[in-house]
Amino acid sequence: MTGKALILVVVSVLLGVLGQLLLKMGMTEVGPLEFEGGMGGLVKVGIQVFGNLKVIGGFAAYGISSLFWIAVLSKINLSLAYPMLALNYVLVPLTARLFLGESIPSLRWVGMGVIIVGVVIISRT
Protein backbone atom coordinates (compact mmCIF):
# COMPACT_ATOMS: atom_id res chain seq x y z
CA MET A 1 0.00 0.00 0.00
CA THR A 2 1.38 3.40 -0.95
CA GLY A 3 1.84 6.19 1.56
CA LYS A 4 -0.96 8.24 0.02
CA ALA A 5 -3.39 5.32 0.13
CA LEU A 6 -2.49 4.61 3.75
CA ILE A 7 -3.14 8.22 4.72
CA LEU A 8 -6.50 8.13 2.95
CA VAL A 9 -7.44 4.91 4.76
CA VAL A 10 -6.43 6.33 8.15
CA VAL A 11 -8.37 9.56 7.58
CA SER A 12 -11.43 7.64 6.41
CA VAL A 13 -11.30 5.34 9.45
CA LEU A 14 -10.75 8.21 11.91
CA LEU A 15 -13.66 10.18 10.47
CA GLY A 16 -15.84 7.06 10.78
CA VAL A 17 -14.81 6.72 14.42
CA LEU A 18 -15.56 10.40 15.00
CA GLY A 19 -18.96 9.88 13.37
CA GLN A 20 -19.80 7.01 15.74
CA LEU A 21 -18.65 8.98 18.77
CA LEU A 22 -20.69 12.04 17.81
CA LEU A 23 -23.79 9.95 17.05
CA LYS A 24 -23.58 8.28 20.46
CA MET A 25 -23.01 11.58 22.25
CA GLY A 26 -25.94 13.14 20.41
CA MET A 27 -28.27 10.24 21.07
CA THR A 28 -27.31 10.28 24.75
CA GLU A 29 -28.57 13.87 24.80
CA VAL A 30 -31.71 13.00 22.84
CA GLY A 31 -32.50 9.95 24.97
CA PRO A 32 -34.34 6.75 24.07
CA LEU A 33 -36.49 7.05 20.98
CA GLU A 34 -40.20 6.35 21.27
CA PHE A 35 -42.02 5.63 18.02
CA GLU A 36 -45.65 6.52 18.65
CA GLY A 37 -48.40 6.31 16.09
CA GLY A 38 -47.64 6.47 12.40
CA MET A 39 -46.16 9.37 10.46
CA GLY A 40 -46.66 11.90 13.24
CA GLY A 41 -44.53 9.83 15.59
CA LEU A 42 -41.90 9.35 12.90
CA VAL A 43 -41.74 13.10 12.26
CA LYS A 44 -41.42 13.76 15.99
CA VAL A 45 -38.51 11.31 16.26
CA GLY A 46 -36.89 12.86 13.18
CA ILE A 47 -37.09 16.31 14.72
CA GLN A 48 -35.60 15.02 17.98
CA VAL A 49 -32.72 13.26 16.24
CA PHE A 50 -31.90 15.76 13.52
CA GLY A 51 -32.34 18.70 15.85
CA ASN A 52 -29.21 17.62 17.71
CA LEU A 53 -25.98 19.15 16.42
CA LYS A 54 -23.86 16.20 17.53
CA VAL A 55 -26.02 13.82 15.51
CA ILE A 56 -25.73 16.11 12.49
CA GLY A 57 -21.96 16.28 13.06
CA GLY A 58 -21.82 12.49 13.21
CA PHE A 59 -23.58 12.17 9.88
CA ALA A 60 -21.31 14.85 8.41
CA ALA A 61 -18.22 12.96 9.60
CA TYR A 62 -19.57 9.82 7.93
CA GLY A 63 -20.21 11.71 4.70
CA ILE A 64 -16.69 13.12 4.59
CA SER A 65 -15.32 9.70 5.53
CA SER A 66 -17.12 8.27 2.50
CA LEU A 67 -15.40 10.76 0.22
CA PHE A 68 -12.01 9.67 1.53
CA TRP A 69 -13.08 6.04 1.15
CA ILE A 70 -13.91 6.61 -2.51
CA ALA A 71 -10.41 8.01 -2.97
CA VAL A 72 -8.99 4.87 -1.29
CA LEU A 73 -10.94 2.63 -3.65
CA SER A 74 -9.56 4.52 -6.63
CA LYS A 75 -6.01 3.69 -5.54
CA ILE A 76 -5.93 0.16 -4.11
CA ASN A 77 -7.75 -3.17 -4.45
CA LEU A 78 -10.94 -3.62 -2.49
CA SER A 79 -9.60 -6.91 -1.10
CA LEU A 80 -6.82 -4.94 0.60
CA ALA A 81 -8.76 -1.79 1.45
CA TYR A 82 -11.90 -3.24 3.00
CA PRO A 83 -10.24 -5.22 5.80
CA MET A 84 -8.62 -1.97 6.98
CA LEU A 85 -12.09 -0.85 8.07
CA ALA A 86 -11.82 -3.48 10.81
CA LEU A 87 -9.77 -0.88 12.67
CA ASN A 88 -13.13 0.71 13.48
CA TYR A 89 -13.81 -2.29 15.74
CA VAL A 90 -10.73 -1.32 17.74
CA LEU A 91 -10.84 2.46 17.66
CA VAL A 92 -14.54 2.92 18.41
CA PRO A 93 -14.38 1.03 21.73
CA LEU A 94 -11.16 2.82 22.67
CA THR A 95 -12.67 6.25 22.01
CA ALA A 96 -15.87 5.21 23.81
CA ARG A 97 -13.77 4.33 26.82
CA LEU A 98 -11.74 7.53 26.62
CA PHE A 99 -14.53 10.03 25.90
CA LEU A 100 -17.67 8.33 27.21
CA GLY A 101 -16.27 6.38 30.14
CA GLU A 102 -17.51 3.04 28.78
CA SER A 103 -15.88 -0.08 30.16
CA ILE A 104 -14.21 -2.69 27.98
CA PRO A 105 -14.36 -6.28 29.27
CA SER A 106 -11.20 -8.41 29.14
CA LEU A 107 -12.40 -10.66 26.34
CA ARG A 108 -13.18 -7.63 24.17
CA TRP A 109 -9.56 -6.46 24.63
CA VAL A 110 -8.43 -9.86 23.36
CA GLY A 111 -10.72 -9.58 20.36
CA MET A 112 -9.40 -6.13 19.53
CA GLY A 113 -5.86 -7.51 19.68
CA VAL A 114 -6.79 -10.27 17.24
CA ILE A 115 -8.27 -7.67 14.89
CA ILE A 116 -5.07 -5.61 15.00
CA VAL A 117 -2.96 -8.68 14.21
CA GLY A 118 -5.29 -9.52 11.31
CA VAL A 119 -5.11 -6.01 9.86
CA VAL A 120 -1.30 -6.03 10.10
CA ILE A 121 -1.13 -9.41 8.33
CA ILE A 122 -3.47 -8.28 5.55
CA SER A 123 -1.62 -4.99 5.09
CA ARG A 124 1.64 -6.86 4.45
CA THR A 125 0.25 -8.93 1.56
Side-chain angles (χ1 to χ4, degrees), residues 37-54:
M39 286 301 290
L42 187 60
V43 169
K44 181 180 174 188
V45 166
I47 291 169
Q48 285 178 302
V49 171
F50 293 107
N52 184 283
L53 288 178
K54 289 177 184 163

Side-chain angles (χ1 to χ4, degrees), residues 1-2 5 38 41 46 51 54-55 63-64 70 78 81-82 100 108 115:
M1 184 179 319
T2 67
K54 289 177 184 163
V55 171
I64 297 167
I70 289 169
L78 181 61
Y82 193 72
L100 304 175
R108 198 171 303 157
I115 290 168

Side-chain angles (χ1 to χ4, degrees), residues 16-33:
V17 170
L18 176 62
Q20 279 293 332
L21 189 63
L22 287 171
L23 287 173
K24 176 59 180 168
M25 292 168 75
M27 291 312 298
T28 298
E29 291 176 0
V30 170
L33 297 180

Side-chain angles (χ1 to χ4, degrees), residues 4-124:
K4 280 186 178 181
L6 180 60
I7 290 170
L8 291 170
V9 168
V10 169
V11 171
S12 180
V13 167
L14 291 177
L15 284 167
V17 170
L18 176 62
Q20 279 293 332
L21 189 63
L22 287 171
L23 287 173
K24 176 59 180 168
M25 292 168 75
M27 291 312 298
T28 298
E29 291 176 0
V30 170
L33 297 180
E34 302 292 334
F35 292 93
E36 300 169 2
M39 286 301 290
L42 187 60
V43 169
K44 181 180 174 188
V45 166
I47 291 169
Q48 285 178 302
V49 171
F50 293 107
N52 184 283
L53 288 178
K54 289 177 184 163
V55 171
I56 293 170
F59 280 116
Y62 270 125
I64 297 167
S65 173
S66 296
L67 296 175
F68 279 91
W69 187 247
I70 289 169
V72 168
L73 295 178
S74 75
K75 296 189 179 305
I76 62 176
N77 291 338
L78 181 61
S79 62
L80 173 59
Y82 193 72
M84 300 301 139
L85 293 181
L87 292 173
N88 284 310
Y89 293 110
V90 175
L91 295 175
V92 168
L94 291 177
T95 58
R97 178 181 166 90
L98 183 63
F99 294 104
L100 304 175
E102 294 184 7
S103 64
I104 300 175
S106 300
L107 198 54
R108 198 171 303 157
W109 284 107
V110 172
M112 290 187 301
V114 170
I115 290 168
I116 292 169
V117 169
V119 168
V120 168
I121 290 169
I122 288 170
S123 71
R124 295 191 176 271

